[in-house]
Amino acid sequence: MTDSLKTDRLDISRIPRPYDAALGAEARALVPGVPSEMGELVAGAAGSSPYLKGLIEQEAGWIAAALEAPQSALASVFADCRALEKDQLKPGLRQAKRRVALLTALCDLSGGWSLEQVTGALTDFGALCADVAIKAEIAALIRRKKLPGLGEADVETAGGLAILAMGKMGAHELNYSSDIDLICLFDETRFDPDVFFEARQGMVRATRNMCATLSDRTADGYVFRTDLRLRPDPAVTPVCLAMEAAERYYESLGRTWERAAYIKARACAGDLAAGEAFLKTLRPFVWRRHLDFAAIQDAHDMRLRIRENKGTGGPITVPGHDMKLGRGGIREIEFFTQTRQLIAGGRDESLRLRGTVEGLAALAGKDWIPGDVADSLSGHYRAHREVEHRIQMVHDAQTHRMPNTAEGIARVACLMDRDPADLQSEIRKRLVEVHDMTEGFFAPDAAPAAEAVVPDDLDEAVIGRWPTYPALRSPRGAQIFERLKPELLSRLGRTAKPAEALLALDGFLAGLPAGVQLFSLFEANPQLLDLLVDIVGTSQALASFLSRNSGVFDAVIGGTFFEDWPGQASLKAELDGILNLETDYETKLDAARRWCKEWHFRIGVHHLRGLIGAAEAGRQYADLAEVVVAALLPQVMDQFAIKHGPAPGKGPIVIAMGSLGAGQINAQSDLDVIVVYDPQDVEMSDGRKPLATRPYYARLTQALITALSAPMSQGRLYEVDMRLRPSGNQGPVATSWSGFTQYQQDEAWVWEHLALTRARVVAGDPELMQAFETFRQSVLGQNRSRRAILAEVSDMRDRLAASKAPAGLWDTKTGAGRMMDVELLSQAGALLAGASTRDVASGLQQAVACGWLDAADALFLQDSYSLYWSVQTSARLLSSAALDESALGEGAALFLIRSTGYDRLDALSEALEQAYQRCDAIIAQALEEGQDDAGTDADADPE
């Protein structure tokens, strides 16, 4: 049972009334010893249902006691079934079916069992019968040596044959006179390849015999009608398939209706472990990584085909109405629920529920549907199912149609103790409400798309070439886009520069490799068109990114896209959870890429729309990169250990350098990192293919770099730069802890200690991380000659200037008085002060504190740096190339001046010119005077 009462007693809350009182009295007389209330229950059921009366006549001696303790009676029936010998299966299971059908009907009609208990009992009985029947057949085949390699011990797992319950049986929602939808598969790995065909023949025979055991009508009746047509391509495939063949079918040919069918699928009989393992392999087929709004059209097409084939598309009238397939019926609620689950379940495992009512509640809990809609549809679903059960109880007919005759409707009403007219009125009201709530989602009667009107400012020649683009070549993609086009052109026409926005959108569409999924997403969420127009009209780089990664739009729909930044701890937990769901290493890396792209896109959109400034965007980009490195390092280590064993000693740490170390990067930054490890005198790893410590960590580091930077199906995460490691490109990619400390103390150049001012550990062994920070502070805290330091900094500044000239006015990074110049001065200030601070502002303050830099000059440098950062961060979001003012669009220019706090672009360019000149002068003067003023006593080297 899927649910249970607190006590095994039938609490009667309602009693059907007999349509034929005389027949009811006859049945009542068959159970003379039952209490009065139970006698009325028996009379009401038998007086309205010829089928139930027949069951009472056959099982009168059993039902009286069963009603006293129905759950115990049901358990006893199940136990008896398990004990049946093979030659007694057919009569034994049929007697069990009579008893289960009678008991569940009376418990249902009395209100003593909930809908879930009734359907659960029927479903569990169906699974039990399938399990008993298939194992009996497998046992017979094993005894006859028809399944090579299998013995008696294999009977318990049915020799690897798994039966999947589909549809209502899979969801524990089996109706009263339902057939059972099954898919039978066998684990071909249980057999040698040489005997595969013989084994398959045996499995097919076992499946057919099982179906006959359950479905054949004998003098004792039948157990369940079985339907095996949900298997792959049933017209040409055997009734039992190898799991590997079924998996290949779904991977290459599976359709949306089959994805929907597998939402409810579960292993119910035979080899349960193999069945569940097979279902796990199908998860990527059923649950798409993206928000699958294209499923709406697929589901709607299925609804139309059902209406056409079954003749259920007419107006809602209760007599003769199909409560399952008709308008406003059970299937409408199921399609509504399952389609929404297909849309979002790939991204949210909590939506992957089999039950319809449970699915509606989960969708409401995640704001995919309003709570009142979920409550209403759940109530209608329960009511529809009760009516369906009463229809079927009358004659044990597998029908879902309300009777056409007054007598038929009256019998159903009597089973529900309702007035026929009132019942019809309520049913019609419920059908209409379900239809109204679900039809709008699928929009089957939507008017044809309005003709797209091209605003005067838009070039029709540009629009005319759209059908030639890859995303619009498929008929379905073109059809959806035609429905979108009027609204899209209207929104383009309302932009500040429509012609400019059109060209930007044209570039976006030209870069799209496919369109059905994205266009379906826009059609279901038209508010996204504003965001699209905003992005393509502002940022060429972000629009180009969207063309290649349109799936990131999914993140916007989740409801939290425009909320505040969650912070590193929350992000790390989320990414760890996603990675731990995957078992394949490459799938983990792709999952990390998919996740990172969405958050990267979110930061860019927040910046683009003014929700955050450039400084906050820089911090968020750095947070994201740090989380990715910290989450991937243990995954890389685990994968590497499979072949070469665990990392010798304490393991590695990853140290962020440069801007990442300072906690501020931009949208296109690469990652400056170094890797340090502590082998603790361990010379070799311990694995299948052991490695000496040094090559172990060198190859492990290369694996980490590959995990971050290798192009995969979801692109790459980050480019990685390791040139700041000891000895630069000439040094090993990973450095031992003893080698690193010795190098920093005895061999490091001044520029390497300047770089150390911004070093920060982001991943690895906690003890080694702490040891590194303690060591860093000790190195930075050493007394140094100001004159020597500043002379070296001045020389470095000259070399930087000679090696790379600025790319123009808008290159705020490279050149005299620009970002790198200010950063160099800030690092020198931190080094001279022996401070462990990392950011530019703190370094400048330390330069003031140690008496080297004037406070007013430091403030000007800090303010200028903030302006430079705002320009650079905005520029990197706008374009991957250097900014060209003459090519800047209106949207990009407005974003640039808004991000920097200016009203006009010429005012911003003038401010930059002035800042470059003054910063250059301040830095040059500080370096020159600092060397001249440096004392020879307190500041000199000991030598």
mmCIF file of all heavy atoms in Angstrom, residues 53-93:
data_model
loop_
_atom_site.group_PDB
_atom_site.id
_atom_site.type_symbol
_atom_site.label_atom_id
_atom_site.label_comp_id
_atom_site.label_asym_id
_atom_site.label_seq_id
_atom_site.Cartn_x
_atom_site.Cartn_y
_atom_site.Cartn_z
ATOM 1 N N LYS A 53 -22.241 -6.700 -7.865
ATOM 2 C CA LYS A 53 -23.165 -7.712 -7.349
ATOM 3 C C LYS A 53 -22.631 -9.107 -7.664
ATOM 4 O O LYS A 53 -22.663 -10.021 -6.826
ATOM 5 C CB LYS A 53 -24.556 -7.534 -7.948
ATOM 6 C CG LYS A 53 -25.588 -8.533 -7.386
ATOM 7 C CD LYS A 53 -26.976 -8.251 -7.906
ATOM 8 C CE LYS A 53 -27.980 -9.197 -7.239
ATOM 9 N NZ LYS A 53 -27.777 -10.602 -7.585
ATOM 10 N N GLY A 54 -22.114 -9.284 -8.879
ATOM 11 C CA GLY A 54 -21.547 -10.576 -9.231
ATOM 12 C C GLY A 54 -20.358 -10.941 -8.360
ATOM 13 O O GLY A 54 -20.188 -12.103 -7.956
ATOM 14 N N LEU A 55 -19.516 -9.974 -8.051
ATOM 15 C CA LEU A 55 -18.367 -10.233 -7.183
ATOM 16 C C LEU A 55 -18.813 -10.598 -5.777
ATOM 17 O O LEU A 55 -18.236 -11.495 -5.140
ATOM 18 C CB LEU A 55 -17.450 -9.005 -7.139
ATOM 19 C CG LEU A 55 -16.703 -8.626 -8.420
ATOM 20 C CD1 LEU A 55 -15.789 -7.426 -8.171
ATOM 21 C CD2 LEU A 55 -15.881 -9.796 -8.957
ATOM 22 N N ILE A 56 -19.837 -9.913 -5.279
ATOM 23 C CA ILE A 56 -20.331 -10.222 -3.931
ATOM 24 C C ILE A 56 -20.872 -11.641 -3.877
ATOM 25 O O ILE A 56 -20.652 -12.383 -2.900
ATOM 26 C CB ILE A 56 -21.409 -9.191 -3.520
ATOM 27 C CG1 ILE A 56 -20.764 -7.809 -3.336
ATOM 28 C CG2 ILE A 56 -22.120 -9.620 -2.236
ATOM 29 C CD1 ILE A 56 -21.750 -6.676 -3.227
ATOM 30 N N GLU A 57 -21.562 -12.033 -4.916
ATOM 31 C CA GLU A 57 -22.094 -13.392 -4.963
ATOM 32 C C GLU A 57 -20.970 -14.426 -4.929
ATOM 33 O O GLU A 57 -21.098 -15.482 -4.300
ATOM 34 C CB GLU A 57 -22.934 -13.582 -6.229
ATOM 35 C CG GLU A 57 -24.248 -12.804 -6.191
ATOM 36 C CD GLU A 57 -24.978 -12.823 -7.531
ATOM 37 O OE1 GLU A 57 -24.358 -13.231 -8.542
ATOM 38 O OE2 GLU A 57 -26.141 -12.403 -7.550
ATOM 39 N N GLN A 58 -19.852 -14.136 -5.616
ATOM 40 C CA GLN A 58 -18.749 -15.078 -5.659
ATOM 41 C C GLN A 58 -17.917 -15.071 -4.380
ATOM 42 O O GLN A 58 -17.345 -16.095 -3.997
ATOM 43 C CB GLN A 58 -17.839 -14.776 -6.853
ATOM 44 C CG GLN A 58 -18.458 -15.113 -8.207
ATOM 45 C CD GLN A 58 -17.502 -14.761 -9.348
ATOM 46 O OE1 GLN A 58 -17.380 -13.602 -9.724
ATOM 47 N NE2 GLN A 58 -16.847 -15.779 -9.889
ATOM 48 N N GLU A 59 -17.791 -13.915 -3.747
ATOM 49 C CA GLU A 59 -16.879 -13.763 -2.609
ATOM 50 C C GLU A 59 -17.601 -13.378 -1.328
ATOM 51 O O GLU A 59 -17.020 -12.766 -0.431
ATOM 52 C CB GLU A 59 -15.814 -12.713 -2.938
ATOM 53 C CG GLU A 59 -14.977 -13.017 -4.160
ATOM 54 C CD GLU A 59 -14.084 -14.243 -3.962
ATOM 55 O OE1 GLU A 59 -13.820 -14.629 -2.792
ATOM 56 O OE2 GLU A 59 -13.654 -14.829 -4.979
ATOM 57 N N ALA A 60 -18.874 -13.771 -1.195
ATOM 58 C CA ALA A 60 -19.656 -13.373 -0.011
ATOM 59 C C ALA A 60 -19.023 -13.889 1.279
ATOM 60 O O ALA A 60 -19.011 -13.191 2.301
ATOM 61 C CB ALA A 60 -21.092 -13.885 -0.147
ATOM 62 N N GLY A 61 -18.504 -15.093 1.253
ATOM 63 C CA GLY A 61 -17.913 -15.652 2.459
ATOM 64 C C GLY A 61 -16.628 -14.969 2.871
ATOM 65 O O GLY A 61 -16.225 -15.034 4.041
ATOM 66 N N TRP A 62 -15.968 -14.334 1.928
ATOM 67 C CA TRP A 62 -14.685 -13.665 2.223
ATOM 68 C C TRP A 62 -14.861 -12.197 2.563
ATOM 69 O O TRP A 62 -14.216 -11.670 3.478
ATOM 70 C CB TRP A 62 -13.768 -13.814 1.004
ATOM 71 C CG TRP A 62 -12.448 -13.115 1.163
ATOM 72 C CD1 TRP A 62 -11.348 -13.580 1.792
ATOM 73 C CD2 TRP A 62 -12.116 -11.796 0.681
ATOM 74 N NE1 TRP A 62 -10.327 -12.656 1.740
ATOM 75 C CE2 TRP A 62 -10.778 -11.534 1.055
ATOM 76 C CE3 TRP A 62 -12.816 -10.821 -0.038
ATOM 77 C CZ2 TRP A 62 -10.131 -10.352 0.743
ATOM 78 C CZ3 TRP A 62 -12.163 -9.627 -0.349
ATOM 79 C CH2 TRP A 62 -10.852 -9.398 0.038
ATOM 80 N N ILE A 63 -15.772 -11.500 1.863
ATOM 81 C CA ILE A 63 -15.846 -10.044 1.979
ATOM 82 C C ILE A 63 -16.323 -9.587 3.345
ATOM 83 O O ILE A 63 -15.917 -8.536 3.829
ATOM 84 C CB ILE A 63 -16.738 -9.441 0.857
ATOM 85 C CG1 ILE A 63 -16.579 -7.921 0.802
ATOM 86 C CG2 ILE A 63 -18.207 -9.809 1.072
ATOM 87 C CD1 ILE A 63 -15.185 -7.453 0.532
ATOM 88 N N ALA A 64 -17.178 -10.392 3.997
ATOM 89 C CA ALA A 64 -17.698 -9.964 5.299
ATOM 90 C C ALA A 64 -16.562 -9.774 6.296
ATOM 91 O O ALA A 64 -16.486 -8.756 6.990
ATOM 92 C CB ALA A 64 -18.709 -10.999 5.810
ATOM 93 N N ALA A 65 -15.660 -10.734 6.366
ATOM 94 C CA ALA A 65 -14.517 -10.610 7.280
ATOM 95 C C ALA A 65 -13.532 -9.565 6.782
ATOM 96 O O ALA A 65 -12.918 -8.842 7.575
ATOM 97 C CB ALA A 65 -13.839 -11.971 7.426
ATOM 98 N N ALA A 66 -13.358 -9.473 5.450
ATOM 99 C CA ALA A 66 -12.388 -8.527 4.893
ATOM 100 C C ALA A 66 -12.743 -7.091 5.239
ATOM 101 O O ALA A 66 -11.861 -6.254 5.473
ATOM 102 C CB ALA A 66 -12.309 -8.699 3.380
ATOM 103 N N LEU A 67 -14.049 -6.772 5.276
ATOM 104 C CA LEU A 67 -14.463 -5.405 5.584
ATOM 105 C C LEU A 67 -14.165 -5.014 7.024
ATOM 106 O O LEU A 67 -14.085 -3.827 7.347
ATOM 107 C CB LEU A 67 -15.952 -5.221 5.285
ATOM 108 C CG LEU A 67 -16.330 -5.201 3.797
ATOM 109 C CD1 LEU A 67 -17.838 -5.173 3.628
ATOM 110 C CD2 LEU A 67 -15.698 -4.000 3.099
ATOM 111 N N GLU A 68 -13.999 -6.009 7.894
ATOM 112 C CA GLU A 68 -13.662 -5.710 9.288
ATOM 113 C C GLU A 68 -12.220 -5.213 9.413
ATOM 114 O O GLU A 68 -11.915 -4.415 10.296
ATOM 115 C CB GLU A 68 -13.851 -6.970 10.141
ATOM 116 C CG GLU A 68 -15.289 -7.428 10.280
ATOM 117 C CD GLU A 68 -16.146 -6.429 11.050
ATOM 118 O OE1 GLU A 68 -15.585 -5.716 11.920
ATOM 119 O OE2 GLU A 68 -17.360 -6.355 10.779
ATOM 120 N N ALA A 69 -11.338 -5.698 8.547
ATOM 121 C CA ALA A 69 -9.923 -5.287 8.580
ATOM 122 C C ALA A 69 -9.402 -5.280 7.150
ATOM 123 O O ALA A 69 -8.684 -6.194 6.728
ATOM 124 C CB ALA A 69 -9.109 -6.227 9.450
ATOM 125 N N PRO A 70 -9.761 -4.264 6.373
ATOM 126 C CA PRO A 70 -9.479 -4.299 4.930
ATOM 127 C C PRO A 70 -7.998 -4.331 4.579
ATOM 128 O O PRO A 70 -7.608 -5.012 3.634
ATOM 129 C CB PRO A 70 -10.157 -3.031 4.406
ATOM 130 C CG PRO A 70 -10.363 -2.157 5.595
ATOM 131 C CD PRO A 70 -10.527 -3.072 6.769
ATOM 132 N N GLN A 71 -7.176 -3.615 5.311
ATOM 133 C CA GLN A 71 -5.757 -3.622 4.955
ATOM 134 C C GLN A 71 -5.122 -4.980 5.231
ATOM 135 O O GLN A 71 -4.300 -5.466 4.443
ATOM 136 C CB GLN A 71 -5.020 -2.523 5.723
ATOM 137 C CG GLN A 71 -5.458 -1.125 5.314
ATOM 138 C CD GLN A 71 -4.584 -0.059 5.943
ATOM 139 O OE1 GLN A 71 -3.393 0.004 5.665
ATOM 140 N NE2 GLN A 71 -5.171 0.793 6.757
ATOM 141 N N SER A 72 -5.499 -5.593 6.329
ATOM 142 C CA SER A 72 -4.987 -6.937 6.623
ATOM 143 C C SER A 72 -5.476 -7.927 5.585
ATOM 144 O O SER A 72 -4.726 -8.820 5.155
ATOM 145 C CB SER A 72 -5.443 -7.368 8.015
ATOM 146 O OG SER A 72 -4.898 -6.530 9.008
ATOM 147 N N ALA A 73 -6.730 -7.764 5.163
ATOM 148 C CA ALA A 73 -7.275 -8.652 4.137
ATOM 149 C C ALA A 73 -6.517 -8.500 2.832
ATOM 150 O O ALA A 73 -6.205 -9.491 2.154
ATOM 151 C CB ALA A 73 -8.760 -8.348 3.931
ATOM 152 N N LEU A 74 -6.192 -7.253 2.475
ATOM 153 C CA LEU A 74 -5.449 -7.015 1.240
ATOM 154 C C LEU A 74 -4.054 -7.632 1.328
ATOM 155 O O LEU A 74 -3.581 -8.282 0.384
ATOM 156 C CB LEU A 74 -5.349 -5.510 0.977
ATOM 157 C CG LEU A 74 -4.729 -5.100 -0.361
ATOM 158 C CD1 LEU A 74 -5.636 -5.511 -1.513
ATOM 159 C CD2 LEU A 74 -4.479 -3.593 -0.397
ATOM 160 N N ALA A 75 -3.397 -7.446 2.463
ATOM 161 C CA ALA A 75 -2.065 -8.021 2.642
ATOM 162 C C ALA A 75 -2.110 -9.540 2.548
ATOM 163 O O ALA A 75 -1.199 -10.173 1.998
ATOM 164 C CB ALA A 75 -1.494 -7.583 3.987
ATOM 165 N N SER A 76 -3.168 -10.133 3.071
ATOM 166 C CA SER A 76 -3.315 -11.584 3.007
ATOM 167 C C SER A 76 -3.478 -12.059 1.564
ATOM 168 O O SER A 76 -2.893 -13.080 1.169
ATOM 169 C CB SER A 76 -4.515 -12.014 3.848
ATOM 170 O OG SER A 76 -4.691 -13.410 3.786
ATOM 171 N N VAL A 77 -4.259 -11.316 0.778
ATOM 172 C CA VAL A 77 -4.414 -11.649 -0.637
ATOM 173 C C VAL A 77 -3.056 -11.592 -1.334
ATOM 174 O O VAL A 77 -2.697 -12.482 -2.125
ATOM 175 C CB VAL A 77 -5.415 -10.696 -1.318
ATOM 176 C CG1 VAL A 77 -5.406 -10.902 -2.837
ATOM 177 C CG2 VAL A 77 -6.815 -10.908 -0.784
ATOM 178 N N PHE A 78 -2.293 -10.557 -1.057
ATOM 179 C CA PHE A 78 -0.981 -10.418 -1.687
ATOM 180 C C PHE A 78 -0.071 -11.590 -1.311
ATOM 181 O O PHE A 78 0.645 -12.146 -2.160
ATOM 182 C CB PHE A 78 -0.332 -9.099 -1.255
ATOM 183 C CG PHE A 78 -0.859 -7.878 -1.968
ATOM 184 C CD1 PHE A 78 -2.084 -7.893 -2.600
ATOM 185 C CD2 PHE A 78 -0.130 -6.704 -1.994
ATOM 186 C CE1 PHE A 78 -2.575 -6.769 -3.252
ATOM 187 C CE2 PHE A 78 -0.603 -5.572 -2.646
ATOM 188 C CZ PHE A 78 -1.829 -5.612 -3.277
ATOM 189 N N ALA A 79 -0.102 -11.976 -0.043
ATOM 190 C CA ALA A 79 0.747 -13.085 0.409
ATOM 191 C C ALA A 79 0.342 -14.393 -0.270
ATOM 192 O O ALA A 79 1.204 -15.201 -0.657
ATOM 193 C CB ALA A 79 0.660 -13.215 1.926
ATOM 194 N N ASP A 80 -0.955 -14.599 -0.412
ATOM 195 C CA ASP A 80 -1.428 -15.808 -1.090
ATOM 196 C C ASP A 80 -0.925 -15.861 -2.539
ATOM 197 O O ASP A 80 -0.579 -16.927 -3.058
ATOM 198 C CB ASP A 80 -2.961 -15.870 -1.067
ATOM 199 C CG ASP A 80 -3.504 -16.136 0.329
ATOM 200 O OD1 ASP A 80 -2.718 -16.557 1.204
ATOM 201 O OD2 ASP A 80 -4.709 -15.884 0.554
ATOM 202 N N CYS A 81 -0.923 -14.702 -3.196
ATOM 203 C CA CYS A 81 -0.433 -14.651 -4.584
ATOM 204 C C CYS A 81 1.033 -15.052 -4.664
ATOM 205 O O CYS A 81 1.454 -15.769 -5.584
ATOM 206 C CB CYS A 81 -0.624 -13.248 -5.167
ATOM 207 S SG CYS A 81 -2.346 -12.795 -5.450
ATOM 208 N N ARG A 82 1.820 -14.588 -3.711
ATOM 209 C CA ARG A 82 3.248 -14.907 -3.707
ATOM 210 C C ARG A 82 3.479 -16.414 -3.551
ATOM 211 O O ARG A 82 4.484 -16.942 -4.030
ATOM 212 C CB ARG A 82 3.939 -14.174 -2.553
ATOM 213 C CG ARG A 82 4.129 -12.687 -2.779
ATOM 214 C CD ARG A 82 5.252 -12.431 -3.738
ATOM 215 N NE ARG A 82 5.519 -11.005 -3.920
ATOM 216 C CZ ARG A 82 6.188 -10.513 -4.946
ATOM 217 N NH1 ARG A 82 6.651 -11.335 -5.885
ATOM 218 N NH2 ARG A 82 6.389 -9.221 -5.062
ATOM 219 N N ALA A 83 2.539 -17.097 -2.891
ATOM 220 C CA ALA A 83 2.730 -18.513 -2.595
ATOM 221 C C ALA A 83 2.185 -19.433 -3.675
ATOM 222 O O ALA A 83 2.319 -20.660 -3.575
ATOM 223 C CB ALA A 83 2.057 -18.844 -1.261
ATOM 224 N N LEU A 84 1.599 -18.888 -4.723
ATOM 225 C CA LEU A 84 0.978 -19.712 -5.757
ATOM 226 C C LEU A 84 2.015 -20.506 -6.550
ATOM 227 O O LEU A 84 3.069 -19.985 -6.923
ATOM 228 C CB LEU A 84 0.171 -18.836 -6.722
ATOM 229 C CG LEU A 84 -1.139 -18.236 -6.188
ATOM 230 C CD1 LEU A 84 -1.694 -17.215 -7.182
ATOM 231 C CD2 LEU A 84 -2.170 -19.334 -5.924
ATOM 232 N N GLU A 85 1.692 -21.782 -6.816
ATOM 233 C CA GLU A 85 2.501 -22.573 -7.725
ATOM 234 C C GLU A 85 2.158 -22.173 -9.157
ATOM 235 O O GLU A 85 1.089 -21.633 -9.435
ATOM 236 C CB GLU A 85 2.214 -24.062 -7.527
ATOM 237 C CG GLU A 85 2.613 -24.600 -6.157
ATOM 238 C CD GLU A 85 4.113 -24.574 -5.937
ATOM 239 O OE1 GLU A 85 4.866 -24.625 -6.948
ATOM 240 O OE2 GLU A 85 4.542 -24.501 -4.761
ATOM 241 N N LYS A 86 3.063 -22.500 -10.089
ATOM 242 C CA LYS A 86 2.855 -22.045 -11.463
ATOM 243 C C LYS A 86 1.553 -22.568 -12.060
ATOM 244 O O LYS A 86 0.829 -21.829 -12.744
ATOM 245 C CB LYS A 86 4.029 -22.461 -12.356
ATOM 246 C CG LYS A 86 3.944 -21.850 -13.768
ATOM 247 C CD LYS A 86 5.134 -22.211 -14.600
ATOM 248 C CE LYS A 86 5.149 -21.446 -15.918
ATOM 249 N NZ LYS A 86 3.946 -21.628 -16.724
ATOM 250 N N ASP A 87 1.204 -23.830 -11.775
ATOM 251 C CA ASP A 87 -0.014 -24.361 -12.382
ATOM 252 C C ASP A 87 -1.276 -23.795 -11.748
ATOM 253 O O ASP A 87 -2.385 -24.035 -12.232
ATOM 254 C CB ASP A 87 -0.026 -25.891 -12.310
ATOM 255 C CG ASP A 87 0.006 -26.396 -10.865
ATOM 256 O OD1 ASP A 87 0.192 -25.566 -9.942
ATOM 257 O OD2 ASP A 87 -0.158 -27.610 -10.666
ATOM 258 N N GLN A 88 -1.122 -23.051 -10.653
ATOM 259 C CA GLN A 88 -2.272 -22.419 -9.997
ATOM 260 C C GLN A 88 -2.317 -20.913 -10.219
ATOM 261 O O GLN A 88 -3.181 -20.235 -9.658
ATOM 262 C CB GLN A 88 -2.227 -22.711 -8.486
ATOM 263 C CG GLN A 88 -2.485 -24.160 -8.132
ATOM 264 C CD GLN A 88 -3.861 -24.602 -8.604
ATOM 265 O OE1 GLN A 88 -4.878 -23.974 -8.309
ATOM 266 N NE2 GLN A 88 -3.887 -25.708 -9.362
ATOM 267 N N LEU A 89 -1.393 -20.412 -11.017
ATOM 268 C CA LEU A 89 -1.325 -18.959 -11.193
ATOM 269 C C LEU A 89 -2.603 -18.391 -11.794
ATOM 270 O O LEU A 89 -3.157 -17.407 -11.284
ATOM 271 C CB LEU A 89 -0.129 -18.584 -12.081
ATOM 272 C CG LEU A 89 1.227 -18.420 -11.389
ATOM 273 C CD1 LEU A 89 2.279 -18.003 -12.402
ATOM 274 C CD2 LEU A 89 1.158 -17.407 -10.254
ATOM 275 N N LYS A 90 -3.064 -18.963 -12.885
ATOM 276 C CA LYS A 90 -4.227 -18.374 -13.554
ATOM 277 C C LYS A 90 -5.454 -18.344 -12.648
ATOM 278 O O LYS A 90 -6.035 -17.273 -12.436
ATOM 279 C CB LYS A 90 -4.514 -19.108 -14.859
ATOM 280 C CG LYS A 90 -3.566 -18.712 -15.992
ATOM 281 C CD LYS A 90 -4.059 -19.207 -17.345
ATOM 282 C CE LYS A 90 -3.183 -18.659 -18.470
ATOM 283 N NZ LYS A 90 -3.660 -19.069 -19.811
ATOM 284 N N PRO A 91 -5.892 -19.468 -12.076
ATOM 285 C CA PRO A 91 -7.069 -19.366 -11.199
ATOM 286 C C PRO A 91 -6.787 -18.580 -9.927
ATOM 287 O O PRO A 91 -7.647 -17.828 -9.447
ATOM 288 C CB PRO A 91 -7.402 -20.835 -10.892
ATOM 289 C CG PRO A 91 -6.141 -21.590 -11.132
ATOM 290 C CD PRO A 91 -5.473 -20.876 -12.261
ATOM 291 N N GLY A 92 -5.591 -18.742 -9.378
ATOM 292 C CA GLY A 92 -5.269 -18.052 -8.128
ATOM 293 C C GLY A 92 -5.249 -16.540 -8.275
ATOM 294 O O GLY A 92 -5.778 -15.809 -7.432
ATOM 295 N N LEU A 93 -4.609 -16.048 -9.340
ATOM 296 C CA LEU A 93 -4.550 -14.601 -9.557
ATOM 297 C C LEU A 93 -5.927 -14.038 -9.896
ATOM 298 O O LEU A 93 -6.242 -12.895 -9.535
ATOM 299 C CB LEU A 93 -3.554 -14.267 -10.668
ATOM 300 C CG LEU A 93 -2.077 -14.526 -10.349
ATOM 301 C CD1 LEU A 93 -1.200 -14.160 -11.545
ATOM 302 C CD2 LEU A 93 -1.622 -13.757 -9.111
#
